[in-house]
Amino acid sequence: MEFTLKLPNHPPRSYGHNSLTPLQRSSLYGNKPASLARPRRKVTCSSGYITRNSAPFPSTMDCHRHFLPNEARGTQLKTRTSVKPVNEELVEDKSKDLQVTGDSIRRRFLQFYASRGHKVLPSASLVPEDPTVLLTIAGMLQFKPIFLGKVPRLVPCAATAQRCIRTNDVENVGRTARHHTFFEMLGNFSFGDYFKKEAIKWAWELTTIEFGLPANRLWISIYEEDDEAFAIWHDEVGVPVERIKRMGEDDNFWTSGITGPCGPCSEIYYDFQPEKGHSDIDLGDDTRFMEFYNLVFMQYNKKDDGSLEPLKQKNIDTGLGLERMARILQKVPNNYETDLIYPIIQTASELAHVTYETADAQSKTSLKIIGDHMRAIVYLISDGVVPSNIGRGYIVRRLVRRVVRTGRLLGIKGDGKGNTDGAFTPHIAEKVIALSSHIDEDVKGRTGRILEELKREELRFVQTLERGEKLLEEMLSDALASAKEDGRFPCLAGKDAFLLYDTYGFPVEITTEVAQERGVVVDMKGFDIEMDNQRRQSQAAHNAVKLEVGEGADIMENISDTEFLGYDMLSAKAIVESLIVNGKSVLQVSEGHDVEVLLNRTPFYAESGGQIGDHGFIYISEGENRENVVMEVKDVQKSAGSIFVHKGTIKQGVLEVGREVEAAVDAKLRQGAKVHHTATHLLQSALRRIIGQETSQAGSLVAFDRLRFDFNYHRPLADTEILQIEELINGWIGDAVLLQTKVMPLAEAKSAGAIAMFGEKYGEEVRVVEVPGVSMELCGGTHVFNTSEIRGFKIISEQGIASGVRRIEAVAGDAFVEYVNARDYHMKRLCTMLKVKAEDVTTRVENLVEDLRLARNEISNLREKTAVFKASSLANKAFVVGTSKEIRVLVEYMDDTDADSLKGAAEFLMNNLQDPAAIVLGSCPGEGKVSLVAAFTPTVVDLGVQARNFIGPIAKLCGGGGGGRPNFAQAGGRKPENLLNALENARSELVRILSEKAS
């Protein structure tokens, strides 16, 4: 499609389809194929940018998901090329002769490293398996267990295009040329295969030959003590000394934390203004330089005392920012104006009825924020993260709020297309989804769920914004009243402005504008302090990938993967390969001690895929001359890949390393796990049929006595829907369907329609469990052979656990029978107690509840009448304060009157005493309870005395607090013993204030 928006300082750019023509092998080392070249044209250079003719962005890309021909993926080349030292006199900017798209950069990077022996692996989910990290923030995260030595490498080296999320610099998004919340990190990794020399030479070759960047625009940073890296860059690659900068530990020494793997790093910078020369260079100058490729040489382990020891296996971890390289190659002023983000900005511009080229600086920043955040939001929701108030969900919610409030600042009303009650974020999300094919092919299949979540969250937040507007009005009124009383200029506190911003999503710009209209200034210094505090907390929580090298890695180093026999048998002979007590390896363990046992083979299922680990026994039956050994197994976990760790207690004898044992699973408990696991598959299929195919799993638990299934859905299930789900599942159980399991390539399984379980990581070969005609899922769990073994299924609860996430708990098999029997027992007891038949229990209970409601209402009415009667006798105790205006004041204690009756009494007195009057009443309605009420007539409020402000300090004396309206407020407390003194203080304070105001 044609773009109507123009870019600043140059016409819209051209990204032709030709750039996606598969590269030939020769193009990796020499001239580019003709299909990649574009006609030469006159180029005007200025600070690294060029002008060029307009053309549409490509709408479709005909290439593999990972942008590689199948024969190139994972190819292992025995020879590795070297890079000749650069002769800068012969170097020119070859990138200007290419029509380069973001997709082609990603494809060419992966193909470059695939041809050099790297296995191309897919991007990991934005929701990491690592519990120490909230979101996937780096390309190396999925390889963390390999770097730690806890999991053996499956390939010697790999390359990925990893989707990443970082929110520690969210306030810089749109304001700088390079900050993002969502970005792609292109990375090549070596797990002990190659090291500095190859990493440096290939990075240079990729940059200068494959992508054609001029060598004289590239600068190198290295760690100040890394002479080896300096020698490679200068002596072998040929980078001049003056363009290699030694930098300190803070800049060029990578650490994962206080301890763990670490090492020096080297970075490649692009110079946008080479005409400024080589003197007084600051690589941190964002206006001139941009770091786009970081090479980490992971060669040390930092110990507790801070000392460094060489790692047994030296690793390479690199990251090349796709958005940054796209900016360089596409010759645009910032990352946002590349074809990766600009189409999203254009969509937002159309809704806001603005033109990016002619927009002011603030509007451009707002459009960039929307373009960036919408990418993050769409991919997070696609990966199963829904808006909520905690954890990952809060990040999505915060980003959606920033988009919505930014859109409103731009003037987008409703859906931006005439429906003022609609939502605009789904329309922009559609553009993000259209651009997603080569980033994550699964996104388009989740379009319905993504758009629905966005619509619901935006409309909910618009209501929150409206509440924020009302709260702002109250805050401004308070500020004006306080200023009038104190004789100061009215000012809105920074904490209040930040509360509106952070809790209600109210832009500080709007807060400032509205406040100015009312004659109130905003304490921006206080606001900035609150913002800085939040930013520091965010950085501390989300800006590090923690790695540790511990003794556990050494224990597992020489242990082979455990052979799992549990699909076919429940007991088997095995050899004890290792015993671990308190994290340390031992040779034997005696009776009474807890132990972790590693066997060479096992029938025990280790916890995974939501199914808990088996219970059972490991034992040795000896003859008359030797003692039997018995270990009770209470849990089984996987460690270091596929090593099964049996956790339990020695109940008898002494267990030794090397002994042959019998490992036996508790058959009854295993059967419980099997029926609940298969029932979980049936439940997911039933949900998709009853409430919609867009429903997806968000977590699960398969236990021996129950199942728990979390799924994405926006409302509670109706009773009729729950009944339909149960009937459908029990029908499948009654059909006695035989299950089928088989192992097949992952791609084949997905093509066949197999559903992947949430949060699971799959290899190239997967196990598929199919209930023919009902469900097909990728699953390594244990299952029944025939659905009839499940016997019956019953949902015992359905509830919301987070915004957009529901949870079903259910029982099957023996647990189903026990549940039904227990319900039947309780129903029989009810029938006996109520003296009715089972079918009449509901009617009888409804009648009892109605009788109780009427009785409670009658009691409440009597209490209120009693309170009003008491109040009428108190009216003559009111006294007059003031001279210019005589105000009747009444402050009294009303025994044990409950809160509602106390409110009624105050309303009666306010009407009886008439305006002007001020009333404060207190009571002790129960043990450890205090109730307070303040009622002020309009004249008193007009004098600047507000009930909601007055009642708070009085309630505080009673260990509580409260609030309300200017004319009527209620409060509570927990210290009845202080009530009389509090009322006396209230009386004195009212006399003081009203005497001043009415004299």
Side-chain angles (χ1 to χ4, degrees):
M1 67 179 187
E2 291 289 335
F3 285 83
T4 58
L5 293 181
K6 295 183 180 180
L7 300 182
N9 303 323
H10 55 79
R13 57 196 71 65
S14 170
Y15 302 99
H17 290 275
N18 289 341
S19 62
L20 293 169
T21 304
L23 294 176
Q24 303 300 315
R25 286 290 299 277
S26 60
S27 71
L28 295 173
Y29 301 94
N31 296 328
K32 305 294 182 292
S35 60
L36 284 176
R38 64 181 178 184
R40 293 189 177 272
R41 64 194 69 175
K42 185 177 180 180
V43 177
T44 303
C45 295
S46 175
S47 299
Y49 306 127
I50 66 173
T51 58
R52 63 207 141 207
N53 294 337
S54 61
F57 288 105
S59 58
T60 58
M61 312 292 183
D62 185 18
C63 56
H64 190 274
R65 177 183 181 184
H66 298 303
F67 317 100
L68 298 175
N70 290 333
E71 63 270 15
R73 299 180 66 207
T75 304
Q76 301 293 318
L77 299 183
K78 295 182 179 180
T79 60
R80 289 171 168 162
T81 63
S82 61
V83 179
K84 296 180 180 180
V86 173
N87 181 349
E88 292 197 3
E89 294 179 357
L90 302 178
V91 173
E92 61 177 330
D93 187 351
K94 297 180 182 179
S95 66
K96 66 189 178 187
D97 295 328
L98 297 175
Q99 292 180 321
V100 182
T101 67
D103 288 335
S104 73
I105 295 170
R106 183 191 305 108
R107 172 178 57 82
R108 290 161 63 187
F109 175 92
L110 295 175
Q111 186 171 359
F112 179 89
Y113 280 104
S115 68
R116 286 153 180 79
H118 292 65
K119 177 70 173 179
V120 175
L121 298 175
S123 170
S125 168
L126 289 173
V127 180
E129 294 181 354
D130 188 341
T132 68
V133 182
L134 199 61
L135 293 167
T136 298
I137 62 174
M140 57 76 63
L141 197 61
Q142 66 170 303
F143 305 118
K144 174 178 169 179
I146 301 175
F147 288 141
L148 290 174
K150 292 183 176 180
V151 173
R153 68 178 193 181
L154 298 179
V155 294
C157 48
T160 64
Q162 176 63 53
R163 306 187 304 276
C164 299
I165 293 283
R166 291 184 189 172
T167 59
N168 52 299
D169 287 322
V170 67
E171 296 301 328
N172 288 325
V173 170
R175 304 184 187 281
T176 71
R178 60 181 178 83
H179 280 95
H180 299 290
T181 54
F182 175 88
F183 59 95
E184 286 187 82
M185 189 64 77
L186 308 179
N188 55 288
F189 307 90
S190 169
F191 314 115
D193 182 46
Y194 61 83
F195 200 49
K196 287 184 186 179
K197 181 179 293 188
E198 293 86 349
I200 290 173
K201 289 185 174 182
W202 285 337
W204 186 260
E205 184 179 350
L206 173 78
T207 302
T208 60
I209 299 179
E210 174 60 29
F211 290 132
L213 297 187
N216 57 10
R217 280 183 178 260
L218 302 179
W219 291 71
I220 309 298
S221 71
I222 61 172
Y223 178 50
E224 57 191 358
E225 298 178 7
D226 194 353
D227 295 332
E228 180 184 3
F230 178 86
I232 298 171
W233 280 117
H234 177 57
D235 299 336
E236 301 191 39
V237 175
V239 179
V241 173
E242 62 269 20
R243 288 216 309 277
I244 303 175
K245 296 297 179 183
R246 293 181 183 264
M247 302 178 74
E249 186 172 338
D250 290 343
D251 295 302
N252 279 68
F253 194 91
W254 182 87
T255 60
S256 61
I258 298 175
T259 62
C262 59
C265 61
S266 181
E267 298 164 328
I268 307 179
Y269 290 77
Y270 186 80
D271 185 355
F272 291 104
Q273 299 169 336
E275 66 276 7
K276 289 188 175 182
H278 295 71
S279 61
D280 299 324
I281 291 301
D282 177 12
L283 293 180
D285 179 3
D286 284 354
T287 62
R288 176 174 176 181
F289 297 102
M290 182 172 67
E291 178 248 316
F292 63 88
Y293 208 163
N294 185 19
L295 318 176
V296 176
F297 311 125
M298 202 180 298
Q299 63 189 93
Y300 301 113
N301 175 43
K302 180 180 285 189
K303 301 168 70 174
D304 291 333
D305 61 3
S307 62
L308 302 177
E309 63 178 2
L311 287 174
K312 297 178 182 177
Q313 173 181 294
K314 293 182 179 181
N315 305 304
I316 290 293
D317 162 24
T318 81
L320 183 149
L322 174 60
E323 290 78 8
R324 298 186 182 195
M325 181 59 80
R327 173 194 172 186
I328 295 169
L329 294 178
Q330 293 175 13
K331 314 290 187 183
V332 293
N334 55 69
N335 296 2
Y336 301 94
E337 296 179 33
T338 67
D339 69 331
L340 296 168
I341 305 176
Y342 187 71
I344 307 168
I345 290 176
Q346 189 208 20
T347 302
S349 301
E350 293 168 352
L351 295 178
H353 303 292
V354 299
T355 303
Y356 184 87
E357 181 184 16
T358 59
D360 57 37
Q362 180 57 50
S363 296
K364 286 181 179 178
T365 298
S366 296
L367 289 167
K368 292 173 186 175
I369 290 172
I370 293 175
D372 169 87
H373 286 9
M374 285 304 301
R375 293 211 301 167
I377 292 164
V378 165
Y379 288 104
L380 281 168
I381 295 177
S382 175
D383 279 357
V385 183
V386 295
S388 71
N389 287 328
I390 58 173
R392 303 180 182 100
Y394 177 71
I395 290 176
V396 177
R397 173 158 289 170
R398 184 184 178 199
L399 294 177
V400 172
R401 288 180 172 185
R402 293 194 94 227
V403 168
V404 173
R405 68 179 185 238
T406 301
R408 287 166 71 97
L409 276 175
L410 282 169
I412 301 178
K413 300 183 184 300
D415 66 356
K417 295 183 288 185
N419 179 10
T420 56
D421 295 325
F424 72 87
T425 53
H427 182 65
I428 301 177
E430 289 177 346
K431 174 56 66 175
V432 180
I433 293 169
L435 297 172
S436 70
S437 297
H438 303 291
I439 302 174
D440 181 1
E441 63 184 9
D442 294 327
V443 172
K444 286 191 176 179
R446 298 163 183 159
T447 296
R449 177 161 59 86
I450 294 169
L451 300 184
E452 184 62 32
E453 285 289 350
L454 271 170
K455 177 183 177 181
R456 185 165 51 253
E457 184 65 17
E458 179 181 343
L459 295 180
R460 182 191 293 119
F461 180 51
V462 167
Q463 296 175 350
T464 303
L465 271 176
E466 292 171 353
R467 290 197 296 270
E469 291 170 351
K470 293 178 181 178
L471 180 59
L472 173 58
E473 180 58 33
E474 293 177 4
M475 289 176 172
L476 293 176
S477 297
D478 289 346
L480 289 167
S482 298
K484 183 178 180 181
E485 185 174 326
D486 300 337
R488 296 180 301 178
F489 195 85
C491 178
L492 182 67
K495 285 187 176 181
D496 289 339
F498 184 77
L499 173 69
L500 287 165
Y501 169 82
D502 192 50
T503 302
Y504 293 91
F506 212 74
V508 71
E509 295 87 354
I510 291 182
T511 299
T512 303
E513 182 179 337
V514 175
Q516 287 175 345
E517 292 174 357
R518 296 288 304 276
V520 179
V521 299
V522 178
D523 176 16
M524 289 305 299
K525 184 177 181 181
F527 176 86
D528 291 338
I529 290 173
E530 296 295 324
M531 182 67 75
D532 288 340
N533 289 339
Q534 186 197 64
R535 187 180 294 115
R536 283 195 295 270
Q537 293 170 358
S538 176
Q539 288 174 336
H542 307 304
N543 200 30
V545 178
K546 297 181 179 178
L547 301 179
E548 294 179 358
V549 176
E551 186 177 358
D554 295 331
I555 293 174
M556 305 294 181
E557 186 172 358
N558 298 316
I559 302 296
S560 302
D561 287 350
T562 309
E563 181 185 0
F564 177 59
L565 310 170
Y567 291 135
D568 303 312
M569 57 184 67
L570 295 180
S571 65
K573 293 188 180 299
I575 301 298
V576 177
E577 294 201 332
S578 181
L579 298 172
I580 303 171
V581 176
N582 296 326
K584 298 184 180 298
S585 182
V586 297
L587 294 177
Q588 62 179 30
V589 184
S590 58
E591 182 177 322
H593 288 84
D594 294 335
V595 64
E596 297 178 357
V597 179
L598 277 55
L599 305 175
N600 66 327
R601 58 207 302 261
T602 184
F604 283 85
Y605 182 83
E607 181 176 329
S608 62
Q611 180 176 333
I612 66 173
D614 279 329
H615 291 190
F617 292 90
I618 294 174
Y619 61 91
I620 303 173
S621 297
E622 301 288 0
E624 296 182 359
N625 298 329
R626 296 195 65 177
E627 182 181 24
N628 292 342
V629 179
V630 178
M631 173 193 171
E632 184 177 9
V633 178
K634 285 295 186 181
D635 187 23
V636 185
Q637 297 286 331
K638 282 185 182 179
S639 179
S642 296
I643 297 176
F644 287 40
V645 181
H646 307 73
K647 301 182 179 183
T649 306
I650 305 297
K651 295 293 185 180
Q652 180 180 338
V654 177
L655 187 60
E656 300 172 337
V657 172
R659 295 294 302 277
E660 184 180 61
V661 297
E662 186 76 20
V665 174
D666 186 315
K668 181 177 176 62
L669 295 181
R670 165 65 79 82
Q671 183 65 16
K674 288 166 60 177
V675 300
H676 284 107
H677 206 149
T678 304
T680 299
H681 286 210
L682 301 183
L683 173 59
Q684 175 157 241
S685 183
L687 282 168
R688 291 166 69 88
R689 297 190 186 198
I690 299 299
I691 64 175
Q693 292 295 316
E694 289 299 324
T695 301
S696 62
Q697 181 184 346
S700 69
L701 170 69
V702 176
F704 305 129
D705 59 348
R706 71 190 189 285
L707 69 86
R708 187 178 71 211
F709 187 81
D710 299 341
F711 58 102
N712 295 305
Y713 204 54
H714 62 277
R715 62 167 176 83
L717 299 186
D719 291 340
T720 53
E721 290 172 325
I722 291 176
L723 183 61
Q724 287 178 294
I725 291 167
E726 290 177 336
E727 289 177 345
L728 190 56
I729 293 173
N730 283 311
W732 290 330
I733 293 171
D735 289 341
V737 181
L738 285 170
L739 272 72
Q740 298 177 6
T741 60
K742 50 190 172 184
V743 176
M744 63 176 68
L746 176 60
E748 182 181 334
K750 285 189 173 183
S751 297
I755 297 174
M757 300 293 280
F758 177 82
E760 284 297 292
K761 189 173 183 179
Y762 300 98
E764 293 187 358
E765 295 285 320
V766 293
R767 183 171 181 260
V768 178
V769 176
E770 182 180 8
V771 183
V774 178
S775 76
M776 179 188 294
E777 296 190 20
L778 310 182
C779 183
T782 61
H783 290 269
V784 299
F785 292 104
N786 189 300
T787 58
S788 62
E789 295 179 46
I790 302 175
R791 301 171 69 185
F793 175 88
K794 184 68 179 176
I795 293 174
I796 59 178
S797 71
E798 190 275 336
Q799 60 185 335
I801 59 170
S803 176
V805 181
R806 310 293 302 176
R807 171 172 290 174
I808 284 177
E809 294 198 40
V811 289
D814 289 347
F816 163 79
V817 175
E818 292 171 4
Y819 177 79
V820 171
N821 287 340
R823 295 282 287 243
D824 183 62
Y825 168 75
H826 292 299
M827 177 58 76
K828 287 178 179 177
R829 287 197 63 192
L830 277 175
C831 291
T832 301
M833 292 170 62
L834 300 175
K835 296 182 174 55
V836 295
K837 297 179 181 178
E839 56 269 27
D840 297 326
V841 165
T842 301
T843 302
R844 179 65 177 135
V845 171
E846 286 176 347
N847 292 335
L848 289 173
V849 170
E850 179 61 17
D851 291 343
L852 180 60
R853 185 186 67 82
L854 293 173
R856 284 176 172 170
N857 286 342
E858 186 175 349
I859 292 171
S860 178
N861 290 334
L862 288 172
R863 284 178 175 170
E864 188 171 339
K865 289 178 181 179
T866 301
V868 170
F869 177 76
K870 288 181 181 179
S872 64
S873 65
L874 294 175
N876 59 4
K877 292 186 178 183
F879 56 92
V880 175
V881 173
T883 55
S884 64
K885 292 182 180 179
E886 294 185 346
I887 302 171
R888 284 168 289 281
V889 175
L890 180 64
V891 180
E892 290 295 332
Y893 171 64
M894 293 192 64
D895 302 319
D896 60 351
T897 304
D898 65 85
D900 288 339
S901 300
L902 197 68
K903 175 184 176 184
E907 291 171 343
F908 168 82
L909 286 167
M910 192 158 55
N911 293 329
N912 187 270
L913 294 177
Q914 298 183 346
D915 191 19
I919 301 156
V920 176
L921 302 177
S923 67
C924 298
E927 185 176 352
K929 292 183 179 180
V930 172
S931 288
L932 287 163
V933 64
F936 297 168
T937 59
T939 299
V940 175
V941 174
D942 289 342
L943 290 174
V945 185
Q946 297 190 2
R948 66 184 178 196
N949 295 335
F950 185 83
I951 199 68
I954 305 303
K956 191 173 182 180
L957 296 174
C958 299
R965 303 187 305 276
N967 67 320
F968 199 95
Q970 288 181 277
R974 301 182 302 278
K975 298 179 179 179
E977 65 273 14
N978 295 348
L979 178 57
L980 293 179
N981 287 335
L983 290 173
E984 187 59 39
N985 283 345
R987 183 180 290 106
S988 302
E989 190 65 12
L990 270 180
V991 170
R992 183 188 67 81
I993 295 173
L994 295 177
S995 295
E996 294 175 358
K997 300 285 186 181
S999 297

